[in-house]
Amino acid sequence: MEIVATQQNEATLAELYVRVRDVLKRRWKMFGIVAAATFIVLAAGIMLIKPTYTAQTQVRIDPTRDPVANKDPSGRTTLSDEAIDTEVSSFYSMALAKQVVEELNLVKDPELYKKATAATLVNNDEDVRTAIATLLLHELAVYREQQTYVLDVDYSDGDPVKAAMISNSFANNYIKGAVGSRTSVATEQAKWYQEQLNKLSSEIAAADNASASFKAQHGLTVGTVENGYTGTLVDQQVPSLAASLAQAESDAAASRAEYQAALSQSRRSGSGAVTGVLASPVVAQLRAQLAQVNQQRDQQAALYGPLHPMTKQYATSAAEIEKQISAESSRIISALGSAAAASEARAQSLRSALNQIEGIRTDQARASVVANTLDRDADSKRELYKQLSQEAQESLQSSQNSMSSATVVNQAIPPQEPSAPNRPLFLAFALIVGILAGGGTIAAQEMLAAVIRSTDDVEDKLGLPMLAAVPFETSSRPALQVRENPTSFYSESFRIARTALFGAGGWPSDSPVIAFTSSLPGEGKTTCSLAFAQSIASSGRRTILIDCDVRRASLSGAMGTAAGANGLVEYLSGEAQISDIITPTDVDNFHTIMVRVPYFNATNLFDGERMAKLIAYARANYDQVVIDLPPIVGLADGRFLAGLADQLIFVIKWNSTPMPAARAAVEALRAIGKEPSGALVNAVEQNSDMLVAGYYLDRYSNYYNQSSTSNG
């Protein structure tokens, strides 16, 4: 598929090339006239353009001296593209342009004064200066050289000396203004920075005081706790209180457990079985005394009996000691209860204190948010103060620096060659425009001229078979070429038409009458009918050519012989007989019937039996009858006579016959039931594709010329 598409594209390009070539060959004169005229007009206009000279001054910006310069990571001083664009824009200020006008006294320059007063309405000297400054800015061009710090200051004028002076003046006044303006701006900046620093200093002090007061009011004073932990005073109390509370709760729990155990033991076994009582040294001592007294009592009772006074005394002492033991046991148990209650109270006290501190701590956490905001505000003001302080220092240094940040590296000199117009380029452009104008003109002519130029026009648009294409001949009597130069391609074209009409099988007996007609006059049907008839006669067939185009009577002119005393008109009018009007020619087997003089009359000569008798006579006495009919469009004679012919050849003049006229003529013939046998295209240029592009025509002619020479 790709190969097929490629071949189709190549065929399309080849066809386009052939069409363009053919159009140029047909209309090269018009193309040349229009192209040359357009080029000459444009070239004359180009040569009349006044030359303009452009002078250039180069200014270098030093970033190390510019107050708006930056430092890159490597420490080099740089200027941003925006800063350089700002410097370029400063050249176009009206103030700078007016300084140039004043410096060079351009208000007295006749040319500039004339342009300024003609362009705007001026009422005073200031208006003149403004108008001239506007003209200067219009011709000024300032641009950066690639990525360098060099600015090119260009000024264009018809006077090269003036262009150089104005360019240099712009650069010099820019540098002068840059020093003063930068120093002034830097001084104002330093003053502004100082005012801002003073204001910020007061705001920082107020912010710090507000933060300190708020922290003191809400107990947010920060200190350092054990293990390096930093927090407020409340934060510092929480760990110790938490530890004390834990210990107190542990002690309270132990005391409660010990007291409860003592009560349980006392209820089960008496107070003497309580662990605390048993562990008491007082109770232990009393029990030792009780044991000793009981021993002594038992000894006395054994010696003297239970009623002895000493026995009773010992018994009384034992009871007293037991009472003391019981009292001491109760005291010990009571002490355990008191200790448990005290431990619980201490734990409760510590718990309340911790809860209170936690509440204070929560309030302080909420207050710390506000305190942090106050601190951030104070910090931001301090950071801004630091930044402004640095900028103020740089601005102060700039205000004390009177050195220029730009220098002129190349002064403008009067240019030797004009910068505009670029005449070679403009002339080349004019040539291209001329070629396009010529091409457009002939393209428009081609589109507007609906004429027949190709075989497709004949076969597809008219629906007629193509018999032959007859090449254009410069001779005044081209039909004579058939007799005088039978090997020419012109002669061969009629043999081709004859073969296409009759075929290769011989001469048909049913088509002795062949008529030639066309749509309009002047398309060469008479010449073609004469050449065709001579071609048939040269083959040995007795042929007669009848000129029925009575309004033109052009057959005698085409043959180069005078008509006889009588012709077709005289015969049809009854003034002569058939034998009186037949004229022999120099060609064997070839006779003619001509019109002596053009005939203009409303009478229809052909509407009668004499024309029918003439055709019948010709059929009976000649092998081939050729009739030259009048044109079809606008005349009735041709349509009437066409019905008398066996075959009808429609003659078309190449690149001349309008397609609408040809189509109307063919439709008129079909309307009367007469279908043309084919079309014969006359006067075709030898470079047309209808004649195979001329190259093969030359080879054909050479071939037959060589054959004729060898045969001779």
Side-chain angles (χ1 to χ4, degrees), residues 353-587:
L354 184 60
N355 290 336
Q356 183 179 3
I357 288 176
E358 288 292 343
I360 296 173
R361 192 179 185 185
T362 302
D363 293 338
Q364 286 183 344
R366 287 193 292 268
S368 65
V369 176
V370 179
N372 290 336
T373 302
L374 294 175
D375 288 340
R376 285 195 298 271
D377 181 58
D379 292 339
S380 64
K381 292 181 183 299
R382 272 189 290 271
E383 185 63 29
L384 180 59
Y385 183 90
K386 180 180 178 181
Q387 181 179 354
L388 284 178
S389 177
Q390 182 178 358
E391 294 178 359
Q393 184 64 27
E394 294 175 355
S395 179
L396 179 62
Q397 293 176 355
S398 298
S399 66
Q400 297 173 353
N401 183 12
S402 61
M403 298 178 66
S404 173
S405 62
T407 56
V408 175
V409 293
N410 281 322
Q411 288 281 347
I413 59 175
Q416 301 298 318
E417 298 293 334
S419 58
N422 188 344
R423 286 196 172 94
L425 178 62
F426 282 14
L427 289 175
F429 178 74
L431 179 60
I432 294 174
V433 173
I435 293 174
L436 293 177
T441 301
I442 63 176
Q445 288 181 328
E446 288 290 310
M447 289 186 291
L448 294 175
V451 294
I452 298 174
R453 299 194 189 95
S454 66
T455 303
D456 292 339
D457 292 338
V458 176
E459 296 180 347
D460 296 340
K461 297 180 181 178
L462 293 180
L464 298 178
M466 180 74 178
L467 298 179
V470 180
F472 175 77
E473 278 291 336
T474 59
S475 173
S476 60
R477 296 183 181 90
L480 300 181
Q481 292 289 323
V482 176
R483 181 179 62 187
E484 297 174 356
N485 191 8
T487 62
S488 66
F489 191 74
Y490 183 86
S491 302
E492 181 65 21
S493 63
F494 287 97
R495 288 192 287 271
I496 294 172
R498 192 179 68 194
T499 303
L501 186 64
F502 298 135
W507 303 94
S509 59
D510 59 346
S511 302
V513 181
I514 301 173
F516 280 74
T517 189
S518 63
S519 57
L520 300 172
E523 296 183 342
K525 62 177 178 54
T526 300
T527 300
C528 290
S529 62
L530 175 59
F532 187 80
Q534 291 181 128
S535 176
I536 295 176
S538 65
S539 64
R541 290 176 65 83
R542 297 181 72 250
T543 306
I544 186 169
L545 172 62
I546 304 174
D547 183 6
C548 293
D549 192 357
V550 297
R551 289 177 173 82
R552 293 182 65 88
S554 57
L555 181 58
S556 61
M559 295 183 62
T561 59
N566 296 303
L568 181 64
V569 175
E570 285 74 20
Y571 166 74
L572 295 176
S573 301
E575 301 175 4
Q577 299 302 316
I578 294 177
S579 59
D580 298 332
I581 62 176
I582 297 175
T583 303
T585 66
D586 297 338
V587 180

Side-chain angles (χ1 to χ4, degrees), residues 86-107:
T86 302
E87 298 300 321
V88 171
S89 300
S90 64
F91 276 91
Y92 294 97
S93 68
M94 180 59 68
L96 179 59
K98 286 184 177 180
Q99 290 177 2
V100 174
V101 173
E102 292 292 334
E103 182 181 68
L104 301 179
N105 197 19
L106 296 179
V107 293

